[in-house]
Structure formats: structure tokens, C-alpha cells
Amino acid sequence: MATISVPACTRALLLDIEGTTTPITFVKDILFPYIREHLEDYLSSHWEEDECKQDVHLLKKQIEEDMRQNRSRPVHAVDQTVHTDEEKAIREVVDNVLWQMAADRKSTALKQLQGHMWRSAYSSGRIKGEIYQDVIPSIRRWKEQGLKVYIYSSGSVEAQKLLFGYSVEGDVLDLFDGHFDTTIGAKVESKSYERIAERIGCRPEEITFLTDVAREAKAAEEAAVNVLLVARPGNTELTDDERTHYELMTSFSQLEWKGMV
């Protein structure tokens, strides 16, 4: 396995989760199905709680924004089994959430609700966060060398902390210096990476971003952030141009850093 040198000026590594630290199958086959299977029951049980009310309020704001932007949205079918206003409201939220998930949307409203639902699944032991075997030993090595390590994912910060706090490797949250989600901006927008650099006190060129998504890599690159594209089994197939343009890695253990902090 070829060694890949991280730019010597790097002070911080910024890691994507899905397809980078964690198999895509964990998200697609475990986390998302959990939401689909338990969503209506969760909303019915927590509907009057403040946290759930805030989640629903955020979803309604997203729906209003979609209407203003004339974006497509779910069509609500008439359901004769729904009788009360609460049942109708819950069904509309369910329809919207399932529609957003089917469209693979990354809205903050959706990710916040999902994070709150996963919390009980993780804490009860029904779900454990999956992490590639090469990830934790590599992060420990980077930390010993003096590098900072941050997470940037479309999943909410809470969902990120649940995955690493209740992982198959145990609680490994102490390995990370911070977490970012879409509240700082979309991962396909270069401004997001500029904001992250400002937040962590680095120049963009002192950050190296690891992701499996070429559009995210392009946005980071436009912000002057160093990029490595992760090619794990099961990840989206890269084009020939992407394979030529970006340096590819298949394992965190390939990375070598000889910089000075």
C-alpha cells in the first residue's frame, strides 16, 4: 500500500464520516432504516415535548423555505385512518421526512430530528457506530504527532458524537478536537471551509480534508484547503477525471506527516 504524504504545512485534519471513517452501508442499511421504521411512533410519543416541538418547528420552516424557492415537495395523500389534528400533523411531518430522506437531502432540520431519534438507539445499545479498522489507530498516531483532528459531516453534531461515543471501538470522542455540521454551511460550498478555518484558528492551506465526495473536495479546494479523496469499497465510483485530478487513498494508515507544529 503506497504511502501518501500530508502537506508539511498541515496543522489540522478535517474528516468526513460516511464513506471516509465509516462504511456507507452503516448509514444506508442501519441508521436510515431505523428512522423510517420508528419515525411515526417517535413523533407520537414525544409530540408534546419541547425538543420534539423544536424539531417540528425547524422542519416547518424548511417546508416554508422550499415553498418560497418553488422547490418540489411531497404530495399528501388523503388517509382515512387519520382523524385528529395531531394525527394529521404527525402524518404530514412523517411524509416530509421520508420524502427528504428519499431525495437524500442534507437539510439541518432533517439531520437534527434524525440525531435526536438515534440518541435513544445508541444509548440503549440497539445501534453501535461502525468505524473502519484503520481509522482509530491512525488518528491516535496523528494526535501523538501534534495534529488536530476535526469532523465535518452533513449529519448533526449530535449524531456525529453519538456515532463516535457509542462506537464498536467504545467511546473515542476524546480523539477529536471539534465537530462541524451543515449549520456552518453546506459541504459543497467553499465558504463553509473558510468558516471552519476561521473557527479553528488555521489558514485554509493548513487544513487537509479527507472525503469520498468529489463535489466536496472541489469546494474545499476552491477555499485553498488541501484535499485527499477517499476510495473505499462501496463508495460512489469516481470518474477518470476525478481519479486523475485528486490524490486517492484507500486507508488512513497510508497517510504520513512530517511537518512541524
Side-chain angles (χ1 to χ4, degrees), residues 43-45 47-48 82-91:
L43 291 170
S44 298
S45 301
W47 191 252
E48 294 300 328
V82 174
H83 302 293
T84 68
D85 289 342
E86 181 178 305
E87 287 175 336
K88 181 182 177 184
I90 289 172
R91 185 57 56 85

Side-chain angles (χ1 to χ4, degrees), residues 22-36:
T22 296
I24 286 177
T25 51
F26 173 67
V27 179
K28 303 293 187 189
D29 298 342
I30 296 175
L31 290 184
F32 285 175
Y34 180 85
I35 298 294
R36 287 191 286 267

Side-chain angles (χ1 to χ4, degrees), residues 177-202:
D177 295 280
H179 298 257
F180 298 97
D181 58 20
T182 54
T183 57
I184 201 147
K187 295 177 74 181
V188 294
E189 295 175 0
S190 60
K191 287 288 185 186
S192 305
Y193 299 89
E194 293 172 9
R195 294 187 195 106
I196 289 173
E198 185 178 355
R199 186 78 63 86
I200 67 180
C202 286

Side-chain angles (χ1 to χ4, degrees), residues 2-217:
T3 298
I4 297 173
S5 295
V6 176
C9 62
T10 299
R11 292 176 54 202
L13 289 166
L14 185 64
L15 311 179
D16 168 52
I17 292 180
E18 186 179 346
T20 299
T21 67
T22 296
I24 286 177
T25 51
F26 173 67
V27 179
K28 303 293 187 189
D29 298 342
I30 296 175
L31 290 184
F32 285 175
Y34 180 85
I35 298 294
R36 287 191 286 267
E37 291 166 19
H38 297 89
L39 179 58
E40 191 160 356
D41 286 344
Y42 176 87
L43 291 170
S44 298
S45 301
H46 300 276
W47 191 252
E48 294 300 328
E49 297 173 13
D50 288 343
E51 183 178 81
C52 187
K53 286 180 179 178
Q54 290 168 7
D55 291 343
V56 171
H57 174 69
L58 206 57
L59 284 164
K60 287 180 177 177
K61 284 179 66 177
Q62 180 65 58
I63 292 168
E64 291 167 4
E65 177 63 19
D66 288 343
M67 292 176 70
R68 276 196 298 272
Q69 299 291 336
N70 201 28
R71 298 190 187 113
S72 61
R73 52 193 184 276
V75 176
H76 300 294
V78 176
D79 189 338
Q80 301 297 335
T81 65
V82 174
H83 302 293
T84 68
D85 289 342
E86 181 178 305
E87 287 175 336
K88 181 182 177 184
I90 289 172
R91 185 57 56 85
E92 287 180 355
V93 171
V94 168
D95 287 349
N96 183 268
V97 168
L98 295 180
W99 170 77
Q100 288 200 57
M101 290 178 67
D104 197 26
R105 294 189 73 182
K106 311 291 186 184
S107 74
T108 299
L110 172 66
K111 297 303 177 182
Q112 179 172 299
L113 173 63
Q114 288 175 329
H116 291 155
M117 287 187 63
W118 287 324
R119 183 174 56 206
S120 61
Y122 278 111
S123 61
S124 66
R126 280 180 286 179
I127 292 177
K128 284 189 181 296
E130 291 184 19
I131 305 173
Y132 286 112
Q133 289 185 349
D134 56 272
V135 170
I136 299 305
S138 298
I139 294 178
R140 291 193 197 282
R141 175 166 51 87
W142 301 335
K143 298 286 288 183
E144 288 170 3
Q145 292 175 320
L147 286 168
K148 301 281 190 181
V149 180
Y150 297 87
I151 293 290
Y152 182 28
S153 172
S154 332
S156 67
V157 167
E158 179 171 11
Q160 298 171 28
K161 290 182 175 180
L162 288 169
L163 191 156
F164 293 110
Y166 296 92
S167 82
V168 290
E169 302 278 354
D171 184 349
V172 293
L173 281 173
D174 63 323
L175 294 177
F176 302 103
D177 295 280
H179 298 257
F180 298 97
D181 58 20
T182 54
T183 57
I184 201 147
K187 295 177 74 181
V188 294
E189 295 175 0
S190 60
K191 287 288 185 186
S192 305
Y193 299 89
E194 293 172 9
R195 294 187 195 106
I196 289 173
E198 185 178 355
R199 186 78 63 86
I200 67 180
C202 286
R203 298 193 307 273
E205 58 268 26
E206 294 175 325
I207 299 172
T208 296
F209 178 46
L210 277 56
T211 180
D212 65 308
V213 180
R215 287 180 66 211
E216 296 173 2

